[in-house]
Amino acid sequence: MNASRRPRGPRPPGGRVLRRDVLAGITVAAYLVPQVLAYAGLARMPPEAGLWAAFVALAVYFVVGSSPQLSVGPESTTALMTGAALASITAPGASTRDTAALLALAVGAVCLLAWAGGLGFLSDLLSKPVLVGYMAGIAGLMILSQAGRATGADVPDGDPLAEAWWLAQHPSAIHGPTLAVCLGTLAVLLLGARLWPTGPVPLAGMLAATLAVSVAGLSDDGVAVVGTLPFALPTVGLPSVSSLGSWALLTTALAIAVVGFTDNVLTGRAFAARHGDRVDARRELLALGAANIAAGAVHGFPVSSSGSRTAIADAVGGRTRWTGLATLGAALLLVVALRPVLARFPDAALAAVVVYAGLRLVDVPEFARIARYRRAELLIALATTFGVVVVGVLEGVLVAVSLSLVDVLRRVARPHDAVEGLVPDLAGMHDVDDYDDAEAVPGLLVYRYDAPLFFANAENFLSRVRESVVAYDPEWVLLNFEAMGEVDLTGADALETLRAELAEQGVVLAIARLKQDQRDVLQPSGVLQRIGAEHIFPTLPTALDAYRAASGPTPPPSAAP
């Protein structure tokens, strides 16, 4: 890698920014610890495995990552995928924890191989509508996933949508005091965000809820709290297995790597766009790979990024990667020294923080802007949201990317075209439909096709040129290749078909502004030789001069009778 592009560690921010980052880190840590414990359960792992996976991921991302705000560590989707894999996969000679660690190492290896292979460009398939829709879908999953914690109901395990649907069918399972704590905390958070936009609103809301539950004795009425947190030092080293295990483990690692990278890039770019920052997709592959290698080395499980924790950090004012380092320090302090305080946090208050963070992820003004720009792109954004919530994160994004590619293909297959003419007092040649006083050169049809000429639009190109020939009855047809970036074999055959048809009508086919790359591609087809070098011009003016010279002097106007 070129030294100028090598990842560098972050520079300390100014004092005011650093204070906000530290405060945001403390707030995120108060949410991270109980959240990670829950995700460890989803992954069928002991609590300390989740904590240490979070700690090393935060440390590694601080050094390697590119996003100023992304909060990495255990995340719900990758935890669920890990748990599902551990339920059916066990590497030879390995315990469940060894298999999870091996899975994290495999995920890290996939990401590092993709980084070395320069596959970060695949993130360019994730358009703005996909990004906005994805964040809204993640927000929906975040809110739905809190159905049990927010209501105190004993909801059967399942995906967030299924859990919310079960609760809607069993309203009697709702525990009133727990729901009241959640709604009260959420009201405090929403009001606090309006009154104190840059303050540590989530932390203040949780502390207020903790105090209210303690004073009112609601824990005796069944309002659940976090409870005692177990903690133990990690076992550092590679898992004790004799082989990589099954093909299923490797395919699961690939799936988790794809989901994790997609999550990192989409979440990182969403928040970077809000503050004028940039996220390097290739560097995110490196950071995700290194974080998973570190998680595997401490016998943790695969990690990714958390939209909820990132949203909390953003809401409190965290703006640089020092927020992540502050989160690490505060989380260690909470686990080691302040476990009695954290143990009294109500689960319902934490659920309210997740809902609050989720609501902040839905960018309604951006949806409205997309709708004003193009309805097809609004459809893509809404399809992404629906897909993420209903069919899953990876499947939803794949559906959205597919729709985006179909939309691109539709527009390229039926592009804009133009017949160009001269406009008085305006240099150059222009689309005759754009100017009322534009006039085509008599006998010369200058035609521009604003797309690459390839298999999907070759017939469309031919039919449009034929229509223009009928309309203008020219002696020459001059193709302006300016906007025709690529020509495949089907496109070259279409050019030859057009040349042969025009020749039968006694019409000359000429080409202007043919780039050298296009010339090199078309040369083997023979179509350029049949058109003739005398009819291939570097510019439109030289082509226009050649046409006028070939047509002879313009006859003088008839004498008046």
Side-chain angles (χ1 to χ4, degrees):
M1 187 190 306
N2 188 300
S4 64
R5 301 180 67 181
R6 186 177 295 115
R8 298 182 175 89
R11 296 179 180 178
R16 182 179 179 184
V17 175
L18 183 59
R19 284 193 297 272
R20 293 199 312 185
D21 287 343
V22 170
L23 188 58
I26 294 172
T27 306
V28 173
Y31 173 65
L32 175 143
V33 174
Q35 184 191 54
V36 165
L37 297 179
Y39 290 164
L42 287 177
R44 301 175 184 268
M45 296 288 286
E48 60 269 22
L51 289 172
W52 282 109
F55 294 158
V56 297
L58 285 167
V60 168
Y61 192 84
F62 173 75
V63 177
V64 184
S66 70
S67 170
Q69 294 178 288
L70 204 61
S71 178
V72 298
E75 181 267 335
S76 59
T77 305
T78 52
L80 285 168
M81 295 174 73
T82 300
L86 295 182
S88 57
I89 300 172
T90 302
S95 65
T96 299
R97 189 162 181 182
D98 282 336
T99 303
L102 183 61
L103 185 58
L105 293 174
V107 171
V110 169
C111 291
L112 292 180
L113 287 173
W115 168 75
L119 298 182
F121 75 91
L122 293 175
S123 65
D124 293 338
L125 297 177
L126 307 174
S127 64
K128 182 72 172 184
V130 171
L131 174 64
V132 174
Y134 171 83
M135 295 307 296
I138 290 296
L141 288 179
M142 287 168 55
I143 294 170
L144 292 173
S145 69
Q146 301 306 303
R149 297 173 72 192
T151 62
D154 187 13
V155 180
D157 290 338
D159 63 79
L161 191 62
E163 291 181 358
W165 177 244
W166 183 92
L167 187 63
Q169 293 179 307
H170 301 83
S172 60
I174 296 174
H175 183 246
T178 299
L179 181 60
V181 171
C182 178
L183 295 178
T185 305
L186 181 60
V188 170
L189 295 176
L190 294 174
L191 181 61
R194 293 183 64 87
L195 300 178
W196 193 12
T198 60
V201 174
L203 180 58
M206 284 190 293
L207 291 175
T210 302
L211 180 61
V213 169
S214 298
V215 171
L218 294 180
S219 57
D220 296 333
D221 291 337
V223 175
V225 295
V226 171
T228 304
L229 297 177
F231 187 71
L233 293 176
T235 301
V236 181
L238 297 178
S240 56
V241 293
S242 58
S243 69
L244 265 181
S246 66
W247 174 252
L249 186 142
L250 295 177
T251 55
T252 300
L254 178 60
I256 292 177
V258 172
V259 170
F261 175 59
T262 301
D263 205 13
N264 274 32
V265 172
L266 286 175
T267 305
R269 284 180 175 174
F271 286 94
R274 297 182 179 187
H275 306 292
D277 299 317
R278 296 182 62 186
V279 171
D280 184 338
R282 187 164 184 259
R283 189 162 158 185
E284 285 304 301
L285 273 173
L286 175 62
L288 184 61
N292 274 283
I293 294 292
V298 296
H299 285 71
F301 53 89
V303 297
S304 178
S305 62
S306 168
S308 59
R309 296 197 298 269
T310 305
I312 290 172
D314 180 75
V316 179
R319 294 294 180 268
T320 76
R321 274 181 286 160
W322 289 82
T323 301
L325 193 63
T327 300
L328 172 59
L332 282 169
L333 182 64
L334 280 172
V335 171
V336 174
L338 299 178
R339 277 183 285 172
V341 176
L342 188 60
R344 300 177 70 85
F345 279 178
D347 275 347
L350 290 170
V353 172
V354 176
V355 173
Y356 166 75
L359 292 174
R360 294 178 67 94
L361 291 181
V362 182
D363 197 340
V364 176
E366 193 64 20
F367 272 104
R369 189 172 77 92
I370 293 172
R372 290 193 299 269
Y373 187 77
R374 183 180 287 129
R375 290 186 179 179
E377 298 202 43
L378 176 64
L379 175 62
I380 292 170
L382 294 175
T384 307
T385 301
F386 180 81
V388 168
V389 172
V390 176
V391 300
V393 175
L394 179 59
E395 294 84 352
V397 172
L398 290 177
V399 168
V401 170
S402 299
L403 287 175
S404 297
L405 294 177
V406 168
D407 183 52
V408 170
L409 186 60
R410 176 187 62 81
R411 284 185 274 129
V412 174
R414 298 294 182 268
H416 175 268
D417 67 342
V419 171
E420 297 185 307
L422 301 175
V423 180
D425 302 321
L426 187 61
M429 301 193 77
H430 306 275
D431 188 343
V432 295
D433 291 335
D434 291 344
Y435 299 89
D436 293 336
D437 53 351
E439 292 185 0
V441 177
L444 176 65
L445 172 64
V446 182
Y447 181 82
R448 190 185 76 229
Y449 197 66
D450 294 339
L453 183 58
F454 69 122
F455 66 92
N457 60 20
E459 284 301 320
N460 176 260
F461 165 78
L462 283 174
S463 64
R464 291 193 185 185
V465 177
R466 289 164 181 158
E467 291 171 2
S468 298
V469 169
V470 171
Y472 286 88
D473 190 23
E475 299 173 13
W476 278 32
V477 172
L478 176 64
L479 297 181
N480 181 357
F481 257 68
E482 178 181 9
M484 208 176 294
E486 295 287 340
V487 182
D488 70 358
L489 181 60
T490 307
D493 289 345
L495 286 176
E496 172 56 24
T497 298
L498 177 63
R499 185 204 65 78
E501 289 181 0
L502 293 176
E504 289 181 2
Q505 302 172 37
V507 179
V508 172
L509 176 63
I511 293 177
R513 306 200 69 171
L514 182 68
K515 303 180 182 68
Q516 187 61 44
D517 289 345
Q518 297 165 327
R519 186 186 296 269
D520 293 341
V521 169
L522 287 171
Q523 200 70 40
S525 71
V527 66
L528 296 183
Q529 293 89 329
R530 286 186 284 274
I531 290 174
E534 70 278 10
H535 292 139
I536 300 176
F537 305 98
T539 65
L540 289 177
T542 56
L544 183 58
D545 290 343
Y547 165 72
R548 286 170 172 164
S551 300
T554 303
S558 301

